[in-house]
Amino acid sequence: MTNLQRLWHRHSPQVFLGELLEKRWMEPVIPFTLTILVFVSFALLIPGFASASSLRQLSLSFAEQAMVAGAMAIAVLSGGIDLSVGAIFAMANFLTLYVYLVKDVPLPLVIALVVIFGAAVGAINGGLIAYGRTRPFLTTLVTLIVLRALYNKLTAAATDELASVAPDSPAWDFLGAGSVLGVPTNMAALIVVAVCAHFFLTRVRPGVHIMAVGSSRKAARHAGVNVKRTLFSAYVLSGALAALAGVFYAARQNSSGTDTGLGWEINALAAVVLGGISLAGGRGTIARAMMGAAIIFMLVSGLVRMGASGNITTALVGLILLVAVGFNVKWVKNKGKVQQKVYVVPSWVDFTPPPSIERGSGTPFAENDRLKGAEAIALGEIEGPEDIILDRNDHLYAVTRNGSIMRFLAPDYSRREEFARIGGRPLGMAFDRDENLICCVAGMGVYGVRPDRTVFKVTDRTNRTRTRLKDDSRLYLADDLDIAPDGRIYFSEATTRYELTDWALDGFEGRGNGRLICHDPATGQTRTILKNLTFPNGVCVSHDGKSVLWASTWLCQINRYWLEGPKAGTSEVLIDNLPGYCDNINRASDGSYWLALVGLRSPVYDLAMASPDFRIHMVKQIPPDEWLCPGINYGCIVKFDDHGTVLESLWDPGGQSHPTITSVREHKGWLYIGGLENNRIGRVRLPDADPQWNGWDSYWKGGADGTAA
């Protein structure tokens, strides 16, 4: 049973489900499924409901209601609401009939005038809301009342005139009862309008601005969007679309009754909410509004054909609206929590007891005090130097959590300057042959800084895994890098499932979510060379340039990927079962390597890694600040050789000066220390180290063939 459990947790189908729910195109799945279920249900319950003639008649009646729902959707996506769409629709229906049939105005001009009328009413709404700062609900409600009263007055006065005329126009007949390629004219117009509206809201700047304003007016304003003008335009479009629906309705019905458009604003609002468009604005699509409109339309039509009264159908629509609004509010509020609980899928990780770290135990990991007297550089002047590096002029560089790379000038490092501001969260660094500083930036990819301080992009994408549902071509968490003698850049991406803000969740999963990637500057191509790695972190090209060492943080092991030789293209474990969680790896002057341990294992955490159910209950039921985490209050550096033999360790017990050590660099007889949570850079003397050795010369002071010295 245990083996089956391991297999289940390591290949859990919940991983697929979590990534499926993360896809944006999954959001309309619920309204789409409901649309299909409602249609199939009525097709089974009502004879002839799914026949060709019935479908044509349904599409004829549906088109105008869907346009009105689209008008409502535009207003809601902007962060407001337009309760006047039903009244605008009714007035447009009357004006079309009156101006065309009674006043005998040419049809194209009639259509233009009626649409302009709808846009003008929308402009009144938009002007009051955007520039007068009135409430959308109350403003459009007043417009609804005024227009409905005006409509009732006008229809009563023009009843005789409208009844005495009979249209005799092929264009009018085509508009109301014609077809385009077998599709009713109004339905064809709906398709065109929906496609154009989708393109407008997702590809055209004014439409994108509507979505941005709906998402956050403050953020949109800071991004340079004219919020008032955008809100104004949203209501103008809403009014124009509702009026266009009235034109098609007039051509199809040739009548203007007192109940025309009555309650359509409620149906439109129910359609929008049922389609999954957020009432808070900024989230949703026109396609969802169309699906919601289809659900409402089929429910009402189906119930009427089954003999239900108008009161019942109205009550049903109201009930649907109430439930949909409640679900919408709850889902928007708790979506992140729900997705996290489904998305986090812990795997089974077996650990054996690690080597002893007890002081005097005789192991190379035995605790000591060699880091306690470390000299502090830039104390209190730097925040989170996750990686550090020195150039061949002895200047010291450090990344910071605010997106900058700071440079501390030799010889005493008392002077500092901002070498470059990249943005994001800079992490691992390396110098190339031309002394460009290449840097991994979480959430952005790999960037470079030239000696003149100009910043350039190296790469932000790799090849996509075709067998995976999630598009992993974008770099999520580029972590550390190193450069081979031929100039190729090898870097780790710690996880493809989580962003920097949630990187700890990858640790709770213990799953192979990371990869090792190679970028070739000569061709500009980036490709993944190893995937399904468990939080690959530190990367270091071996002294002979024939392999790449990489650290698997959560598995507490060092691996080797061969670049040359009989094992080229394969990876193997070099050191396993380390007593701590490994981070960056860098060269030492004697041909060995330095490794930073960011945290220590504990028996309790090892036990938790072998219990996926425990970890998933912890993530679901306990606040994040109370989760069980590895011990990170110890500072430790380990030295190992090319054979995987651990040679020695340096400790700061209790992490008083250097907790969470993530980077260690040797330079001219000194060892420099950086840490993810540190407020300083440490430095300790290495009495047996080569006082002239430096990292850049180790890589690039070689022959013309580019091999390292």
Side-chain angles (χ1 to χ4, degrees):
M1 180 61 72
T2 302
N3 289 334
L4 288 177
Q5 289 176 332
R6 287 191 179 97
L7 185 64
W8 171 262
H9 285 294
R10 286 174 180 168
H11 304 282
S12 174
Q14 190 176 328
V15 176
F16 177 82
L17 177 61
E19 293 189 355
L20 189 66
L21 292 177
E22 187 187 35
K23 303 297 289 185
R24 289 188 63 183
W25 51 260
M26 273 298 294
E27 293 185 5
V29 163
I30 293 178
F32 178 78
T33 304
L34 284 175
T35 304
I36 299 300
L37 288 176
V38 170
F39 177 78
V40 171
S41 298
F42 282 122
L44 295 174
L45 293 172
I46 302 174
F49 186 85
S51 66
S53 59
S54 175
L55 290 178
R56 178 178 174 79
Q57 188 58 43
L58 286 172
S59 63
L60 276 170
S61 303
F62 168 71
E64 296 95 9
Q65 295 191 34
M67 286 186 189
V68 174
M72 177 68 77
I74 293 173
V76 172
L77 287 171
S78 72
I81 193 172
D82 191 352
L83 296 178
S84 65
V85 289
I88 294 174
F89 165 80
M91 279 296 298
N93 170 66
F94 169 78
L95 290 175
T96 302
L97 293 171
Y98 188 81
V99 176
Y100 179 64
L101 299 180
V102 177
K103 297 301 182 181
D104 200 25
V105 177
L107 185 57
L109 182 57
V110 171
I111 296 173
L113 290 174
V114 172
V115 171
I116 290 172
F117 162 78
V121 176
I124 294 173
N125 286 332
L128 291 172
I129 293 167
Y131 298 99
R133 297 186 178 183
T134 58
R135 299 287 184 182
F137 183 89
L138 291 176
T139 303
T140 56
L141 178 61
V142 171
T143 305
L144 161 66
I145 295 171
V146 172
L147 284 180
R148 180 57 63 179
L150 181 61
Y151 172 78
N152 291 336
K153 189 73 173 176
L154 291 175
T155 52
T159 299
D160 294 338
E161 288 181 282
L162 290 175
S164 63
V165 293
D168 184 17
S169 166
W172 181 257
D173 293 338
F174 172 76
L175 202 63
S179 62
V180 179
L181 300 176
V183 179
T185 305
N186 59 353
M187 192 65 188
L190 171 65
I191 294 172
V192 172
V193 167
V195 170
C196 292
H198 175 78
F199 183 82
F200 174 75
L201 291 172
T202 58
R203 298 292 186 273
V204 181
R205 181 173 294 180
V208 174
H209 286 177
I210 289 176
M211 301 293 288
V213 169
S215 297
S216 172
R217 293 189 185 184
K218 183 177 181 180
R221 186 178 295 110
H222 288 169
V225 176
N226 189 323
V227 174
K228 293 181 179 180
R229 184 173 63 197
T230 301
L231 283 174
F232 176 81
S233 65
Y235 284 93
V236 170
L237 290 173
S238 177
L241 185 53
L244 181 63
V247 172
F248 283 101
Y249 187 83
R252 184 169 61 86
Q253 294 288 68
N254 282 305
S255 65
S256 181
T258 56
D259 61 345
T260 300
L262 193 63
W264 279 35
E265 60 278 344
I266 302 301
N267 288 358
L269 182 59
V272 165
V273 177
L274 196 58
I277 296 178
S278 173
L279 288 175
R283 182 175 64 86
T285 62
I286 290 295
R288 293 194 215 174
M290 298 299 103
M291 284 186 281
I295 295 171
I296 296 296
F297 176 77
M298 284 190 294
L299 280 172
V300 173
S301 299
L303 289 173
V304 169
R305 291 177 65 169
M306 292 177 67
S309 67
N311 292 333
I312 292 178
T313 57
T314 302
L316 179 62
V317 171
L319 180 62
I320 291 173
L321 179 58
L322 182 63
V323 173
V325 168
F327 177 81
N328 188 296
V329 172
K330 284 291 184 181
W331 175 248
V332 170
K333 183 178 180 181
N334 299 293
K335 178 183 177 182
K337 296 179 182 178
V338 172
Q339 286 186 325
Q340 176 176 305
K341 290 179 179 181
V342 174
Y343 196 76
V344 180
V345 191
S347 182
W348 193 301
V349 181
D350 283 318
F351 281 121
T352 56
S356 176
I357 62 172
E358 289 188 15
R359 190 180 294 262
S361 63
T363 72
F365 300 102
E367 182 182 292
N368 54 64
D369 299 319
R370 296 178 63 183
L371 295 182
K372 270 197 168 180
E375 175 187 344
I377 298 174
L379 180 61
E381 297 180 357
I382 194 168
E383 186 178 0
E386 194 275 343
D387 194 22
I388 53 174
I389 196 170
L390 295 99
D391 63 20
R392 58 177 175 168
N393 296 315
D394 303 334
H395 301 313
L396 175 61
Y397 301 76
V399 296
T400 65
R401 67 176 73 254
N402 68 357
S404 298
I405 298 177
M406 303 300 297
R407 177 164 66 179
F408 298 88
L409 304 179
D412 58 2
Y413 305 117
S414 60
R415 293 182 298 157
R416 66 169 185 165
E417 61 184 8
E418 185 179 60
F419 178 65
R421 183 169 184 82
I422 299 178
R425 186 21 166 139
L427 296 171
M429 298 182 290
F431 279 107
D432 68 10
R433 179 180 299 278
D434 298 323
E435 298 187 68
N436 299 313
L437 183 57
I438 312 300
C439 181
C440 287
V441 185
M444 295 174 59
V446 179
Y447 282 71
V449 185
R450 296 186 178 89
D452 63 4
R453 301 189 185 186
T454 58
V455 178
F456 62 96
K457 182 174 71 175
V458 177
T459 181
D460 62 356
R461 306 187 78 84
T462 184
N463 56 298
R464 179 176 179 177
T465 305
R466 295 299 176 185
T467 58
R468 187 173 176 182
L469 178 66
K470 184 173 184 176
D471 182 0
D472 59 355
S473 60
R474 181 176 73 86
L475 299 179
Y476 282 75
L477 188 52
D479 200 329
D480 192 30
L481 60 84
D482 208 0
I483 305 174
D486 61 4
R488 294 185 182 184
I489 301 170
Y490 292 88
F491 63 96
S492 60
E493 184 175 25
T495 175
T496 59
R497 279 173 61 81
Y498 298 96
E499 305 285 353
L500 179 64
T501 53
D502 297 321
W503 69 270
L505 288 173
D506 193 272
F508 293 117
E509 278 199 353
R511 187 175 298 282
N513 298 326
R515 51 191 174 178
L516 186 65
I517 302 171
C518 174
H519 173 76
D520 188 353
T523 63
Q525 293 185 344
T526 305
R527 61 184 180 90
T528 300
I529 55 177
L530 290 176
K531 57 185 178 181
N532 301 324
L533 309 181
T534 304
F535 209 88
N537 197 333
V539 176
C540 182
V541 174
S542 62
H543 285 273
D544 60 8
K546 295 182 178 180
S547 63
V548 175
L549 308 180
W550 58 273
S552 177
T553 298
W554 307 132
L555 296 185
C556 303
Q557 62 183 209
I558 305 298
N559 301 266
R560 186 198 303 272
Y561 176 77
W562 290 96
L563 303 177
E564 301 179 16
K567 297 182 180 179
T570 64
S571 185
E572 62 187 14
V573 176
L574 182 64
I575 308 176
D576 200 5
N577 201 36
L578 286 163
Y581 295 91
C582 40
D583 208 287
N584 287 355
I585 310 169
N586 289 296
R587 293 180 181 180
S589 60
D590 60 0
S592 58
Y593 305 91
W594 296 105
L595 170 67
L597 295 185
V598 69
L600 289 184
R601 288 167 53 188
S602 68
V604 174
Y605 198 76
D606 282 5
L607 186 62
M609 293 301 288
S611 178
D613 291 335
F614 167 79
R615 302 201 315 274
I616 195 62
H617 286 308
M618 178 180 68
V619 172
K620 288 182 177 181
Q621 299 177 10
I622 300 177
D625 57 353
E626 297 181 13
W627 288 350
L628 176 67
C629 294
I632 58 174
N633 58 339
Y634 278 79
C636 182
I637 298 169
V638 171
K639 190 178 187 182
F640 66 92
D641 63 17
D642 261 315
H643 303 290
T645 303
V646 176
L647 306 175
E648 61 177 319
S649 59
L650 295 78
W651 287 82
D652 178 19
Q656 296 179 7
S657 299
H658 298 287
T660 63
I661 294 178
T662 54
S663 178
V664 54
R665 301 271 186 176
E666 182 179 337
H667 183 82
K668 293 186 177 180
W670 291 88
L671 198 62
Y672 294 81
I673 307 164
L676 184 65
E677 303 294 336
N678 296 353
N679 66 344
R680 71 193 75 189
I681 299 170
R683 184 170 77 160
V684 294
R685 171 71 74 177
L686 298 174
D688 299 325
D690 182 351
Q692 300 303 318
W693 186 92
N694 68 82
W696 192 91
D697 286 347
S698 172
Y699 282 84
W700 308 117
K701 192 177 180 181
D705 60 354
T707 56

